Amino acid sequence: MAMRRRLTSEPCAVVIFGASGDLTSRKLVPALHNLQAEGLMPKETAIVGTSRTKFTDKQFGSRLRKTVTEHSRIKPTDASWSTFGRDVYYVPGDATGDELYQDLKAKLETIDEERGTRGNRVWYMSTLPQFFSTIAQNIGKAGLCDTGGWQRLVVEKPFGSDLESARELNASLNAYFPEKQVFRIDHYLGKETVQNLLVFRFANAIFEPIWNRRYINQVQITVAETLGVEERTEFYEQTGALRDVAQNHLLQLLALVAMEPPVAWDADAIRDQKVQVLKAVRRWTPSEIGGVVSRGQYDGYERVPGVHSHSSTETFVAIKALIDNWRWAGVPFYLRTGKRLPSATTEIAIEFQRVPHLLFAKTAVEELEPNVLIIRIQPDEGISMTFGTKVPGPEVNVRTVDMEFDYETGFGSGTPEAYERLLLDCMLGDATLFARSDEIEQAWEIVDPIQRHWGQGGRPGPYRRGSWGPPSADDLVRGDGRRWREPSR
Ligand code: BG6
């Protein structure tokens, strides 16, 4: 498919709040470095970090060089860093006070003058979520947007902690940043394989006719991690798996699998269809939640430094989602995510109906499973389709085999990271891969009843590290006569 886009953005200053944090050094700056290395960012672009830690421009730069070397797919060389290093600035200060904004204003004005960034700004919120609103207000009040250039505000997830707070956050951001300037990031949407879901569905004529309840029996979406909460306990204790991954990444994947074809490849046409699907996801009532949602906590979580003893934060959640519309009525979408699971795998398994009539003797088809289309988001990005085939020999024996497409074999390695794509899109002003406020609100409407129900008591079921969650996760599918698929990698 030939899709033409203007690939270089206008010059701008990318201002990162929370610049001493993990996300900045592991993801944001490596992404900016790679955009520059691939010539996708104009040479005038400046990166301005800010946080309370006191660094000079130079100290910040050398810290970044280390982390870019460690985390980036393109490694910096002395030559490349001599250019990129000159693009990096730092302004220390407290984002909740006024002084920082005066310092930022002065620095940004100098940068505009010296580099030609034309007053264009990307304001990136990479702090703890409770600061998003204050920072946006402070930027606005201090007049930092009155530059004559464009302004874009990037907000990390989770966007709010429930429907009400998400609405409040929206209103507060919109006071200085109109909706068109707000880019709510869900890094899953920047993953090549996630974008490919739409291409797979809508660039091929053969799948759409069977993409519905008549042919599809169930869909399972797994976002599994082997890591625990690591250093992020302060964030995680306030968030938990439901709000950290299910409300955003899992529901975004569900929306892309289940949405109707959009009328055009543009931000609003695509997001309109995602919103329609999310609206159709059934909201579970308190009495139903016990049977359709499983929550778990891995053994030893409470002993992680920074975690409250008797913490009831869930590190695992599984949800059965039903989509009440013509296409999907009665087809369960089972979603699960967790930390300390047996593999670090994200995949979508679409299981088709069994054949209506079996021609072969039962003994001949012991291994015959229904056809399953597996979309591997990560690792080993690819797509496979299982189908029944005849085992060579004089008898008719049938066995399930895989037909494989593998990204690396197909396109070679070096796929851009999600944040590269998203930062570039933001600089280009393309919001297609960012969540609109109504999408976020629909997602909260789906998870809020669950969170509220949990708030009334009970605890997550314990699970062994390296297992697939608590027993209630198995019960959830077993009740429907099904089982979880073992991920293919
Ligand atoms: C983030 C969550 O959004 O996604 C993390 O906050 C999680 O808890 C991460 O580890 C998973 O992302 P990825 O790209 O590694 O699958």
Side-chain angles (χ1 to χ4, degrees), residues 157 187-188 191 225 232 235 244-245 249 339 378:
K157 52 154 277 284
H187 78 278
Y188 261 61
K191 291 181 191 275
E225 297 183 84
R232 296 166 72 224
F235 164 79
D244 185 33
V245 172
H249 307 329
K339 304 231 179 244
Q378 61 191 28

Side-chain angles (χ1 to χ4, degrees), residues 191-235:
K191 291 181 191 275
E192 280 290 336
T193 38
V194 173
Q195 293 166 50
N196 188 45
L197 266 169
L198 292 183
V199 175
F200 181 79
R201 285 190 59 194
F202 303 128
N204 296 295
I206 59 171
F207 298 110
E208 210 39 35
I210 56 169
W211 210 257
N212 57 51
R213 61 192 299 273
R214 290 180 60 200
Y215 297 95
I216 293 178
N217 175 297
Q218 61 160 331
V219 177
Q220 294 192 1
I221 307 181
T222 299
V223 174
E225 297 183 84
T226 49
L227 290 177
V229 287
E230 313 303 304
E231 315 287 303
R232 296 166 72 224
T233 46
E234 187 184 353
F235 164 79

